Amino acid sequence: MGKVMLSPSVLSADFSDLRTALKQIEDGGGQAVHIDVMDGQFVPQISFGQPVVQSLRAHTALPFDVHLMVERPEAHVETFALAGADWITFHMEATVHVDRLIAQIHALGKQAGISIVPSTPVSALSEVLGSVDVVLVMTVNPGFGGQTLIPSCVKKIAELVRIRQERGLSYRISVDGGVNRQTLPSVSEAGADIIVSGSAFFDGTLGWELKR
């Protein structure tokens, strides 16, 4: 039974007091801080930019798990790296030159993650799974917090576990969207390594002893 990493999403925190949100994450057993960056183009909402990441960086030693839900992420990875991101995850659907962008993130000394929306199959990632550090499976359509997990997406986690074993790869599998006390068992049993939780973390309904 391996322990699962918790990466709470500040998208569900009180935006007027993000410093306190960081303390809640530390006190609640979070091992990373998930920061959803939205541009109003790839997803409808606009959220955080580089100045917010830079301001928060001074207030915690936890790694920043920056999730770029933006068009043309290649135009932004360097500035987010400089702002304090530790892991930079972009969407496969948002850029053409996926392999080049992974190399760009690694050249900046950061861990590279790739994410897929619910309608994108795992097979689309086949050529880059050997290069990435994290694969983020979206179990809701990205853009809003508090959504209900799409059950059919959970099988992607198990598929990624199988491919990792068969090919001898080392990426970690992260899951984001609708993870709460009721849905945690299914994503954990499927083999997720990192749990991203927003609403359920900040309303105190998700337990922190995440084991599978």
Side-chain angles (χ1 to χ4, degrees), residues 87-90 92 97-115 124-136 160 163-164 167-172:
W87 318 340
I88 300 177
T89 297
F90 65 93
M92 181 171 190
H97 300 292
V98 172
D99 187 72
R100 179 188 298 169
L101 184 49
I102 293 167
Q104 182 183 353
I105 294 170
H106 283 153
L108 292 165
K110 308 300 178 180
Q111 292 196 26
I114 191 163
S115 183
L125 297 171
S126 179
E127 296 302 315
V128 297
L129 287 176
S131 303
V132 294
D133 303 291
V134 177
V135 179
L136 175 59
L160 283 163
I163 293 170
R164 182 173 60 189
R167 294 174 56 181
L169 302 177
S170 59
Y171 56 79
R172 292 175 294 169

Side-chain angles (χ1 to χ4, degrees), residues 60-138:
T60 182
L62 291 176
F64 279 1
D65 171 13
V66 174
H67 178 193
L68 299 180
M69 290 185 276
V70 304
E71 296 286 353
R72 297 188 63 246
E74 61 272 14
H76 304 288
V77 295
E78 183 172 2
T79 52
F80 275 103
L82 291 172
D86 296 288
W87 318 340
I88 300 177
T89 297
F90 65 93
H91 273 266
M92 181 171 190
E93 304 87 359
T95 187
V96 174
H97 300 292
V98 172
D99 187 72
R100 179 188 298 169
L101 184 49
I102 293 167
Q104 182 183 353
I105 294 170
H106 283 153
L108 292 165
K110 308 300 178 180
Q111 292 196 26
I114 191 163
S115 183
I116 52 175
V117 300
S119 59
T120 299
V122 168
S123 59
L125 297 171
S126 179
E127 296 302 315
V128 297
L129 287 176
S131 303
V132 294
D133 303 291
V134 177
V135 179
L136 175 59
V137 176
M138 293 299 301

Side-chain angles (χ1 to χ4, degrees), residues 162-192:
R162 177 183 59 78
I163 293 170
R164 182 173 60 189
Q165 292 172 339
E166 289 178 353
R167 294 174 56 181
L169 302 177
S170 59
Y171 56 79
R172 292 175 294 169
I173 303 164
S174 182
V175 59
D176 182 4
V179 181
N180 54 38
R181 190 179 294 277
Q182 288 71 45
T183 59
L184 176 62
S186 65
V187 298
S188 182
E189 289 166 11

Side-chain angles (χ1 to χ4, degrees), residues 129-157:
L129 287 176
S131 303
V132 294
D133 303 291
V134 177
V135 179
L136 175 59
V137 176
M138 293 299 301
T139 45
V140 299
N141 288 295
F144 302 93
Q147 297 186 67
T148 300
L149 181 143
I150 301 171
S152 61
C153 293
V154 175
K155 65 184 180 183
K156 294 182 183 181
I157 302 168

